[in-house]
Amino acid sequence: MKKWLVTAAAFWLAACSSGEESKRYYQLPVIQNAAPVSVSQASRQLWVEQVTVPDYLAGNGVVYQTSDVQYTIANNNLWASPLDQQLRNALVANLSAQLPGWVVASQPLGAAQDTLNVTVTGFHGRYDGRVIVSGEWLLNHQGQLIKRPFHIEALQNQDGYDEMVKVLADAWKQEAASIAQALNRMP
């Protein structure tokens, strides 16, 4: 009986240690340096209602474009939490840091709030060493709808998924800065 258990354990260990690469999980870095602002003190309020991503980005795997028409979804390099949630959380944090005096939240704040919806169409690395962050955002500002497209290409300085995720996060932060500038120009 012991011989059978040892043999079964050896087969199980061999199966578990087959040449399969270990999985790596990625989370976008989020800044946490926004000064606290109460809703009653804020001159403006912004609800980031949703950030949507297409199906090819909505899975667990980090996406890499291998040619003009082909995309690969990684099996072992995965998002630690759904990408749309990560993008929304990072956007709220970045806008909060860049819009002093505003309350920026991921839930409704009240009747006087502006509402922002973002559709991300590209958030991936590419075969030429660049990352792509693209899409459009729609702002409802006091009943007026403002829609703006965005397309950012940023160069990776090093190879690998770690670097790709960092550059993607920087590009997303850059788009948040662009949105903040647009919001600051509104009456």
Side-chain angles (χ1 to χ4, degrees):
M1 179 74 169
K2 283 185 182 181
K3 211 177 208 183
W4 180 83
L5 285 174
V6 170
T7 304
F11 279 118
W12 182 77
L13 286 172
C16 290
S17 65
S18 64
E20 188 176 317
E21 185 183 330
S22 63
K23 294 186 185 307
R24 294 180 182 196
Y25 295 90
Y26 295 93
Q27 190 77 24
L28 296 175
V30 176
I31 58 170
Q32 300 294 331
N33 63 352
V37 177
S38 75
V39 175
S40 61
Q41 294 172 332
S43 60
R44 304 276 299 272
Q45 298 173 5
L46 177 66
W47 173 29
V48 179
E49 184 175 14
Q50 66 179 347
V51 175
T52 58
V53 296
D55 288 346
Y56 84 101
L57 293 173
N60 292 339
V62 177
V63 175
Y64 183 77
Q65 184 179 357
T66 57
S67 75
D68 289 345
V69 295
Q70 283 187 335
Y71 293 80
T72 297
I73 300 172
N75 292 322
N76 292 319
N77 294 287
L78 309 171
W79 293 113
S81 60
L83 181 58
D84 59 343
Q85 290 176 9
Q86 289 191 53
L87 290 169
R88 185 177 183 203
N89 292 341
L91 184 60
V92 168
N94 287 323
L95 288 174
S96 294
Q98 295 171 28
L99 294 169
W102 286 61
V103 172
V104 181
S106 57
Q107 65 269 348
L109 296 165
Q113 71 192 7
D114 289 344
T115 304
L116 178 67
N117 286 283
V118 183
T119 301
V120 175
T121 56
F123 197 82
H124 58 275
R126 196 169 67 185
Y127 57 92
D128 61 359
R130 296 188 174 277
V131 301
I132 306 299
V133 175
S134 61
E136 65 184 19
W137 52 266
L138 179 66
L139 177 71
N140 185 338
H141 172 67
Q142 300 172 352
Q144 176 188 6
L145 295 178
I146 299 141
K147 182 178 172 181
R148 301 255 168 84
F150 59 91
H151 182 88
I152 299 170
E153 291 187 24
L155 185 61
Q156 277 186 238
N157 294 321
Q158 300 173 8
D159 290 339
Y161 281 95
D162 287 6
E163 177 73 5
M164 184 174 78
V165 170
K166 289 175 187 174
V167 176
L168 283 166
D170 287 345
W172 187 238
K173 185 176 179 181
Q174 181 183 336
E175 183 51 35
S178 176
I179 294 170
Q181 287 176 343
L183 289 168
N184 277 326
R185 287 192 299 264
M186 295 185 185

